[in-house]
Amino acid sequence: MTNLIQNSGNNNNPFISVVVPVYNEQEVLPEFLDRTSRVLEAREIDYEIIFVNDGSTDNSLELLNRFREKDPRIAILDLSRNFGKEIALTAGLDYSRGDAVIIIDADLQDPPELIPEFISAWQEGFDVVYGKRKKRQGETVLKRLTAYLFYRILQRASNVHIPEDTGDFRLMSRRAVDALCKLREQHRFMKGLFAWIGFPQRCILYKREPRYAGRSKWNYWHLWNHAIEGITSFSIAPLKIATYIGLITAFFSFSYGSYIIIRTIIRGCDVPGYPSLIVIMLFLGGVELTALGIIGEYLGRVFDETKRRPLYLIDQYLPSRTANGQ
Ligand code: UDP
Ligand code: MG
């Protein structure tokens, strides 16, 4: 019951902010706005939709401006360039004013029809209500497999419980948003940050649809970097693992070395000492480079954080013009 009071979900006439990161989404924006507004209006919810334009190079911004002229509940936060989804989300959360904030992708992979369910759970007292994918559709077996492995590894490597098959689609209470906004790290692994803040959380299962239109900005290189981000942000296990990899490599190298030495004794060799030398050199080089690379990943992140740059810059902010959000 105390949660009910603390997370402000008991407010009879709550004001909801919907934060939508937008990067070149002109094909989906009209349909997105249509579906989302329909869901929220049907429930007579007071809301604003904050579109965060993350440096789109297509007509997304013009489209958003046109939407805003017609609908006073629309706010536009125009970033000075493309900063990436994580930062766009953070900017949207910083500018949100709602008693609860919903984060949703513009591409309709997260069904807006789930929002009323999120709100009900929030009103029951949950601070964070997140959507969990029931089934992945329109994605290749390889993507499904890599996602599966990533979550499993992350779970093992970090102390924070990061729910699997969960994206950014979620509702957060005001206090959860305020807590999240205090985390100003440059390398923003959002799934981890969402989990780190804690508070009562509930998951709601949903079927993730394929993208409505347009193209995903993700590719395997991005996914790989995302995975490294997740692990280095939430765990120092790789630094420890480096030690063990060193030991294991040493073992195999020793076995291979023994084999070469024995073979050389039996069969002879053109240049005496050469095989054993090359084995030792390769072994040491490999282990050292791996360990250095891992240290480098962490050092690079320390470097980025020490610069203390602002997370994003705003070109312009056009707030919503709703009475409730003032
Ligand atoms: N997005 C963004 N900045 C970026 C890339 C993506 O704001 O640099 C937004 C994009 O417009 C969409 C959401 O983030 O609303 C998810 O992007 P996408 O569909 O490309 O990712 P996926 O669903 O494939 O993970
Ligand atoms: Mg998508």
Side-chain angles (χ1 to χ4, degrees), residues 62-73:
E62 287 90 276
L63 213 58
L64 292 174
N65 277 314
R66 240 178 294 148
F67 291 164
R68 186 172 175 273
E69 273 164 30
K70 278 187 237 143
D71 188 343
R73 292 166 298 193

Side-chain angles (χ1 to χ4, degrees), residues 21-23 25 54 82 84-85 88 105-107 109 208 211 216-218:
V22 175
Y23 178 52
E25 301 284 10
D54 188 18
N82 178 259
K85 185 187 176 187
D105 282 358
D107 60 7
Q109 283 196 281
R208 192 161 162 89
R211 204 171 223 288
S216 170
K217 281 96 208 163
W218 284 76

